Amino acid sequence: MVRLLSFFYLILLILMGSCNVQTAVPNNTGAIPKSVAPENSIIYLFFGIEKTPSGSEKVTHTETRITKGIIKNTSIDNKENKAGNLLITMLGKGGEILEERIIEDPLNPVLEVFAEDGLSKNKVNLSKAEFSVRFNQKGEISSVKIEKITTTSKNNLITLKL
């Protein structure tokens, strides 16, 4: 009986040792490990943005999630190209622009308030906020660049290599 239990224990250890588990977390450099970002997957990048004492914005990459599948193009909402918004650029291996998106300024969101006199929109000024970007990874996107749109130019906030 003891021999049989020892045999099953040995088989269990062999099976557990042969399992290969992968996780979808970024490494210390903030880049996504190549073995985790397969083609035909959806990548979700989460960021934090905050105002610095000098008045500029600082963006940090907080988390990455990867799932299998494809986002339909109609489900991606693009905003206006105006000052204050963020330009998200997906770049290829040679630095060419593959896709661009604009998201509203996360530090100055517009909130809808319903009161007795009706619906009103109020702009809120925040010092710290979070935002996310999602996109289809077909194996061609190698980095994501986030820029702040100003009235005269664009300021690079962060570039994340995948």
Side-chain angles (χ1 to χ4, degrees):
M1 180 73 167
V2 173
R3 279 188 147 171
L4 186 60
L5 287 175
S6 297
F7 176 73
F8 283 125
Y9 182 69
L10 180 63
I11 297 294
L12 180 64
L13 284 176
I14 291 171
L15 287 175
M16 288 176 56
S18 66
C19 292
N20 186 6
V21 179
Q22 293 182 343
T23 59
V25 295
N27 59 19
N28 292 339
T29 63
I32 302 168
K34 296 273 185 211
S35 63
V36 179
E39 293 183 9
N40 296 326
S41 60
I42 303 170
I43 297 182
Y44 298 85
L45 301 174
F46 296 90
F47 298 93
I49 184 169
E50 63 181 309
K51 289 183 184 176
T52 61
S54 65
S56 62
E57 288 89 14
K58 178 185 173 188
V59 173
T60 55
H61 173 238
T62 57
E63 185 180 1
T64 299
R65 292 186 189 170
I66 301 171
T67 62
K68 292 181 182 178
I70 294 177
I71 302 171
K72 294 180 183 178
N73 288 337
T74 57
S75 68
I76 297 173
D77 190 24
N78 216 6
K79 303 298 179 185
E80 294 180 54
N81 185 3
K82 65 179 187 178
N85 288 348
L86 300 178
L87 174 65
I88 314 299
T89 307
M90 284 63 153
L91 302 169
K93 293 175 182 156
E96 69 277 6
I97 297 173
L98 300 175
E99 191 176 334
E100 287 185 328
R101 285 211 204 106
I102 297 175
I103 60 173
E104 288 182 345
D105 185 0
L107 291 174
N108 297 298
V110 176
L111 300 178
E112 294 181 346
V113 178
F114 185 75
E116 291 179 12
D117 55 341
L119 185 67
S120 65
K121 294 183 178 184
N122 300 327
K123 193 171 204 174
V124 179
N125 189 349
L126 303 172
S127 61
K128 195 174 190 181
E130 296 177 346
F131 67 97
S132 64
V133 177
R134 64 182 178 151
F135 59 92
N136 291 321
Q137 176 58 294
K138 298 173 189 163
E140 55 204 26
I141 298 173
S142 65
S143 61
V144 176
K145 180 169 62 169
I146 300 176
E147 299 172 294
K148 176 87 169 195
I149 301 171
T150 64
T151 54
T152 57
S153 65
K154 297 174 189 143
N155 297 332
N156 189 15
L157 299 175
I158 190 172
T159 300
L160 182 67
K161 297 207 184 273
L162 304 180

